[in-house]
């Protein structure tokens, strides 16, 4: 990470314009950065033979660039260079349990990024991008693990996508029918939060038994609910 | 849910064939059902003006049919009826922290379903499909909350997708470099599990203060880590 970008509005394009009104649109670049910073797995959408393909993969950010582990999509992208992709990152925060089924919803934060990805070939940028991916998922791990050799680097597919065209959708808070006629039903309504937390590290069975995890791994598990990072 | 389908192999098509070998391919329909049963939010991929669009939405299953909340994609699908979609459900189970950055991975379960969705218009099927979506996210809630009125039903967009063409990918277990040359580095390696759990229900502030959540909601929060369902 090269420091937070300055706060600025997200540019709007026809495909990043929201058409549904219940959710809040994140209007600022800081909203996008916050959603991206809270995860490490995205869903990468590509078009293959005219049909969509949605692939989970790892990502990391560096300023205005989104880096993606590209192995899952290497074949698809090689067949259609210059094609647009869509990257979506979603965090599910809870179920919104309303009085009526119709008003049920989900509290979530979601970011969608469009663009034409660039295959990273420069070894220096590839190393920097892989560092972003690694640190996004496991902060501290880049300096701890053995870094990629030249051969490993060549065998890794990395994509770069500019954060130029993106939208953010966020829903928070209670159900919307608390002041409507359904309130008279006397039903319980509210939010059932969904938490994500790291568990205790599970050592590789092939490790010597007395080797503790380093603090950047061992200290991550928390008794209470935490977000991934 | 109409009971478990009989165990049978998933049909293979060119686009559901796995090309990467590190993960295990789920070969049986039961693998698909297990991945779908463990979540309630999917990523729906559609093609709009030649570009992919990846939208998070709710899903539920009923036998061989995947039902999807279609509002997010209604516009996209209306513009290209008969177009194929891709639905991906991913559960991230942990980080695989290897000795080398190159061998880092993620433990996960993922399902991908392809097909041409059908817009559900029959009110009976729409009710049944919405019941699947509701019960998938919040078991017990369909019988508790007020069910959709005729008008609400008409205002809800529901898609049905046959579970005919699908693939499953699963990675479990420790890193792969425990018996390679990097084991001599003496670094800690293993898995950092990621858990998902329900928190304590948060009552709508507009509720009377003495109304407890019903057991199907209140009993869902568990002190230990659990999967969403």
């Amino acid at each position: 990470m090269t420091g937070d970008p300055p706060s600025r509005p997200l540019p709007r394009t026809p495909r990043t314009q929201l058409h549904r009104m219940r959710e809040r649109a994140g209007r600022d670049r800081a909203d996008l950065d916050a959603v991206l910073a809270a995860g490490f797995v995205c869903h990468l959408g590509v078009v293959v033979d005219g049909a969509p393909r949605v692939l989970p993969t790892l990502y990391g950010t560096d300023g205005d660039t989104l880096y993606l582990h590209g192995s899952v999509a290497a074949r698809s992208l090689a067949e259609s260079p210059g094609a647009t992709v869509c990257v979506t990152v979603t965090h599910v925060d809870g179920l919104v349990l309303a009085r009526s089924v119709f008003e049920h919803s989900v509290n979530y934060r979601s970011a969608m990024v469009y663009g034409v990805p660039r295959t990273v070939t420069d070894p220096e940028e590839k190393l920097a991008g892989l560092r972003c991916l690694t640190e996004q998922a496991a902060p501290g791990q880049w300096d701890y693990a053995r870094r990629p050799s030249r051969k490993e680097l060549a065998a890794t597919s990395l994509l770069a996508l500019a954060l130029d065209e993106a939208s953010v959708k966020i829903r928070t808070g209670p159900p919307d029918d608390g002041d409507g006629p359904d309130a008279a039903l006397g039903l319980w309504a509210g939010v059932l939060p969904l938490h994500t937390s790291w568990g205790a590290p599970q050592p590789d069975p092939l490790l010597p038994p007395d080797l503790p995890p380093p603090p950047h791994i061992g200290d991550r598990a928390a008794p209470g609910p935490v977000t991934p990072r």
Side-chain angles (χ1 to χ4, degrees), chain A:
Chain A
M1 307 286 282
T2 54
D4 291 336
S7 179
R8 56 190 196 272
L10 287 170
R12 287 201 224 171
T13 68
R15 60 187 172 192
T16 61
Q17 194 96 26
L18 292 194
H19 296 291
R20 300 182 73 215
M21 291 295 105
R22 188 152 300 133
E23 296 90 0
R24 183 175 79 78
R27 299 276 178 221
D28 198 88
R29 173 58 191 270
D31 296 320
L32 175 65
D33 291 342
V35 172
L36 295 178
F40 58 91
V41 171
C42 64
H43 281 83
L44 166 64
V46 297
V47 177
V48 180
D49 297 333
R53 180 174 294 185
V54 180
L55 301 153
T57 194
L58 293 167
Y59 72 89
T61 54
D62 185 0
D64 290 338
T65 303
L66 184 69
Y67 286 107
L68 303 164
H69 205 289
S71 303
V72 290
R75 181 179 300 248
S76 318
L77 294 172
E79 286 168 8
S80 46
T84 297
V85 304
C86 175
V87 175
T88 299
V89 173
T90 306
H91 311 294
V92 178
D93 295 324
L95 291 176
V96 181
L97 302 164
R99 285 92 177 155
S100 68
V101 166
F102 187 72
E103 291 289 349
H104 274 57
S105 188
V106 172
N107 280 343
Y108 70 102
R109 293 159 289 150
S110 182
M112 197 181 295
V113 182
Y114 286 100
V116 176
R118 176 170 58 83
T119 301
V120 179
T121 52
D122 174 67
E124 285 303 308
E125 187 186 3
K126 217 168 183 179
L127 266 183
L130 283 176
R131 180 191 170 133
C132 289
L133 261 68
T134 306
E135 292 290 300
Q136 180 96 12
Q141 191 69 359
W142 183 259
D143 284 337
Y144 181 77
R146 178 178 66 72
R147 298 199 187 158
S149 66
R150 186 182 298 258
K151 193 177 163 189
E152 289 170 342
L153 209 56
T156 304
S157 171
L158 188 74
L159 301 173
L161 190 63
L163 290 176
D164 285 342
E165 187 180 356
S167 63
V168 175
K169 280 171 76 175
I170 298 168
R171 196 210 182 277
T172 59
D176 292 332
D177 58 359
D179 53 5
D182 285 334
L185 295 172
L187 297 172
W188 189 90
V191 171
L192 190 63
L194 192 61
H195 298 304
T196 304
S197 58
W198 297 106
Q202 300 167 340
D204 186 337
L206 297 177
L207 281 186
D210 54 349
L211 188 67
H216 73 277
I217 297 169
D219 293 351
R220 237 172 150 194
V226 292
T227 47
R229 62 168 291 188

